[in-house]
Amino acid sequence: MAVVALFAAVLIAASSPSGGGFAALFGTYCYWLIRIMMQSLMFISARSIIERYAPGSFSKSKVLVLSILLSHLPFVLAVTAMDIILGYPELGIGGAGSGTTLRVFEFGLELVFLFDNHVALCLLLSVPGWVLRASTSGASPVDESKKGTFLSTIDPPLSGVILWVEAQEHYVRITTQHESRLVLARFSDIVRDLSTKDGLQVHRSHWVAKSAIVNEQKSGQNLILVLSTGDTVPVSRSFRRKLVAATEAQ
């Protein structure tokens, strides 16, 4: 993605007019490099946040659209601030009749004018991921059948049945019958590998095996699970219905 962003910045800078010799040319390249890298960072950060906290039912296209919309406003704010600092005429500053109403209107126009630019760059940054997924999906059925899950790639392999999985920032703590290990992974990837017959997600950051639940405790409006490991796990209201259904099915 960084290479794609750098390539886009160089292309835009090369096509931008810059009079005044080497200094002006160098300044143009620096401006567009900073602007495109800043825009790319905002989009990637927005997408990472959405992928981490969005419901598992969100499709890739929905994540992409939300990432573009979420990153557009801070991108325009940052670009406008940078242009003002560099002395470019923005938001009617320095013009006749400049005022709050005019600047709000000018900023609204800025949001509209830069939107297609922002969408184009975000789509361009998404191309590497699309190519990678396309190459993966184009593999032969035999290769796909041999392809293991993320859990199967953990080295050394986990010992015992998985009882509890907890998200801890960029890491995931996996507790089994015999060990508790911290691995660098996305919580959603681990949960996707686990069987819904054996357990279920009860919180944004917790998955528990049904066999590990030994008791349920209520603390006011909160529901807490007591596990066979001695640990306690909170249950979110959005997951309570699934927990009740799973408990009744046993």
Side-chain angles (χ1 to χ4, degrees), residues 14-38:
S15 60
S16 299
S18 56
F22 175 78
L25 180 64
F26 180 75
T28 299
Y29 273 88
C30 288
Y31 171 84
W32 282 106
L33 284 172
I34 294 173
R35 173 168 168 166
I36 296 298
M37 288 302 176
M38 180 172 58

Side-chain angles (χ1 to χ4, degrees), residues 142-157:
V142 176
D143 292 336
E144 283 296 322
S145 63
K146 293 181 179 179
K147 185 178 178 181
T149 62
F150 177 84
L151 289 171
S152 67
T153 65
I154 297 178
D155 187 31

Side-chain angles (χ1 to χ4, degrees), residues 233-247:
V233 175
V235 179
S236 297
R237 293 185 179 181
S238 56
F239 291 99
R240 286 189 185 182
R241 186 172 299 176
K242 291 184 179 180
L243 176 63
V244 172
T247 304

Side-chain angles (χ1 to χ4, degrees), residues 183-245:
V183 298
L184 180 61
R186 292 195 308 180
F187 177 71
S188 58
D189 291 339
I190 300 293
V191 171
R192 186 164 50 245
D193 288 351
L194 295 169
S195 172
T196 55
K197 296 180 181 179
D198 300 329
L200 69 161
Q201 185 176 353
V202 297
H203 187 274
R204 186 178 64 189
S205 304
H206 297 277
W207 180 96
V208 297
K210 297 175 185 177
S211 60
I213 303 173
V214 297
N215 194 15
E216 297 181 5
Q217 297 178 349
K218 285 191 176 181
S219 177
Q221 297 296 324
N222 300 322
L223 179 63
I224 298 174
L225 299 178
V226 180
L227 306 184
S228 57
T229 60
D231 299 290
T232 57
V233 175
V235 179
S236 297
R237 293 185 179 181
S238 56
F239 291 99
R240 286 189 185 182
R241 186 172 299 176
K242 291 184 179 180
L243 176 63
V244 172

Side-chain angles (χ1 to χ4, degrees), residues 101-134:
T101 303
L102 177 60
R103 292 178 184 176
V104 170
F105 176 74
E106 291 279 350
F107 183 72
L109 291 178
E110 196 87 349
L111 286 170
V112 175
F113 293 155
L114 294 179
F115 185 70
D116 58 342
N117 170 279
H118 185 61
V119 171
L121 180 62
C122 293
L123 293 177
L124 187 62
L125 291 173
S126 302
V127 168
W130 294 341
V131 173
L132 182 61
R133 285 196 294 271

